Amino acid sequence: MAVRRRTSIPNQTAAQPNPEPGGDPQPPNAAPPADEFSLAPPKLGLILSVLALFLIPFFYLLFVHYQIESDLRYYISIGVALSLVGFWVTVWLIPVAARYLLRRNMFGYDINKRGTPRGEVKVPETLGIVTAIVFLVVAIVLQLFTLTADSDWLVEYNAALACICFMTLLGFVDDVLDVPWRVKLVLPFFASLPLMMAYAGHTSIIIPKPLVPYVGLSVLDLGLIYKLYMIMLVIFCTNSINIHAGLNGLEVGQTVVISFAVLIHNLMQIGASSDIDYKQAHAFSIYMMLPLLTTSLGLLAFNWYPSSVFVGDTYTYFAGMSLAVVGILGHFSETLLLFFLPQVLNFLYSCPQLFGFVHCPRHRLPRFDPQTGLLTGTKDMNLVNLFLRLFGRCTEKSLCIRLLIFQALSCLMCFGLRYILAGWYK
């Protein structure tokens, strides 16, 4: 979480020393000397360990556990290779982009380190823009290998990319202009319009088997109501990641955990199904989630505690939209919401403050003690403070790890529920 500090151009101009006779005057936005900027090296040891922890079960399911068609294995392997390239490009580009963002005074101070030397360091903001751009490039290039010109998925694939690109732009605008909350809530609606216009899938839902005798139907066509549900899902996914934040690595970490869970779910559904269209829907999700996972890990290498960059609303909107479109086009929105269980709980718990029934400060963060380095929970209504009140004071890193473990356990619970209820619920 950052508190933005920007210096106006007139003040910068006034602070410039008078040039010596015959010397060239310095422009008001002149960049600082190169040796004044130093970004902490990425935490590649930790991130590569996490990446290996993902790839081992992923490749086991892909090549050993399930009998998946050779062509689909080939396309998914290409997706893995391109996504790994995207990871390294992200790691390389972030220091470059951070330098330019600092030149434009887009930086912040870490509130959770206020009163310590780290709290006085200028941290570049909005580095989620790098992740989003690399993701879009990888996803577009991946089309060359996975889709043909007459593919039924081409229109919806491009509509999904248009939504993600649109949402990234709106997120960047939010970072620059500091858009009010009431406007933030509706931004995803406009970004979802390309998908709503291009969506040609079903608008029906399967009635749970225990309710069929009471409803009298096994399948119910919702029509336009289903598209309204899609819009609400997009709005929730984009904003829920944005409000479950405030710690180094939390926004990116929760996205990594959910992306991993979605990819495992996709492979399990492909391996267990014989329906071609169903497999293609989950393959589409894999093609989108692989670059999201790897580019997010590239960002996490700099955003993990202690963070040397901030991701900004650009990243949270981009990540939320990416997850929403795969849930919609992959037709597993119910499962996606189960993966989002911590975000759902955080949103429900935050509603009194978000809707103005209880006073809502600008930053609903814990209270930091610079003497001990520990965080103390406040009365603000979110999971970050709730965990501190329930489990006691701890460091920012420990709190983030606890919340990510809760996210992972929620995803595991989702898999368990699907296994227990399979064949009985639907």
Side-chain angles (χ1 to χ4, degrees), residues 61 65-69 72 264-274 278-279 282:
L61 293 177
H65 190 74
Y66 292 115
Q67 297 297 318
I68 299 175
E69 293 84 349
L72 189 53
I264 296 300
H265 170 69
N266 294 146
L267 279 182
M268 292 173 66
Q269 296 306 301
I270 289 175
S273 175
S274 58
Y278 189 75
K279 288 185 176 183
H282 284 280

Side-chain angles (χ1 to χ4, degrees), residues 159 162-164 166-168 170-171 181-198 224-239 317 320-321 324-325 328:
C163 289
I164 295 170
F166 198 178
M167 195 70 254
T168 301
L170 294 177
W181 261 107
R182 61 183 179 274
V183 179
K184 291 182 181 182
L185 289 174
V186 298
L187 287 179
F189 165 75
F190 297 105
S192 67
L193 290 178
L195 182 60
M196 297 302 108
M197 298 302 103
L224 291 177
I225 298 177
Y226 188 84
K227 290 199 172 184
L228 177 62
Y229 161 73
M230 292 164 56
I231 293 173
M232 294 175 64
L233 180 66
V234 168
I235 293 174
F236 170 76
C237 289
T238 50
N239 284 286
Y317 287 152
M321 178 62 79
V325 296
I328 292 170

Side-chain angles (χ1 to χ4, degrees), residues 135 139 157 160-161 164 283-292 325-326:
F135 166 87
Y157 192 104
L161 293 179
I164 295 170
F284 158 78
S285 176
I286 290 176
Y287 302 149
M288 301 289 282
M289 287 295 97
L290 281 172
L292 175 64
V325 296
V326 299

Side-chain angles (χ1 to χ4, degrees), residues 302-353:
F302 294 92
N303 185 242
W304 186 249
Y305 183 92
S307 177
S308 54
V309 301
F310 290 139
V311 301
D313 290 343
T314 304
Y315 177 81
T316 57
Y317 287 152
F318 147 73
M321 178 62 79
S322 302
L323 291 165
V325 296
V326 299
I328 292 170
L329 295 179
H331 306 300
F332 58 92
S333 58
E334 290 180 355
T335 302
L336 181 66
L337 285 175
L338 288 175
F339 290 151
F340 268 79
L341 179 60
Q343 288 73 22
V344 172
L345 295 176
N346 185 65
F347 170 74
L348 294 176
Y349 185 45
S350 301
C351 278
Q353 284 190 313

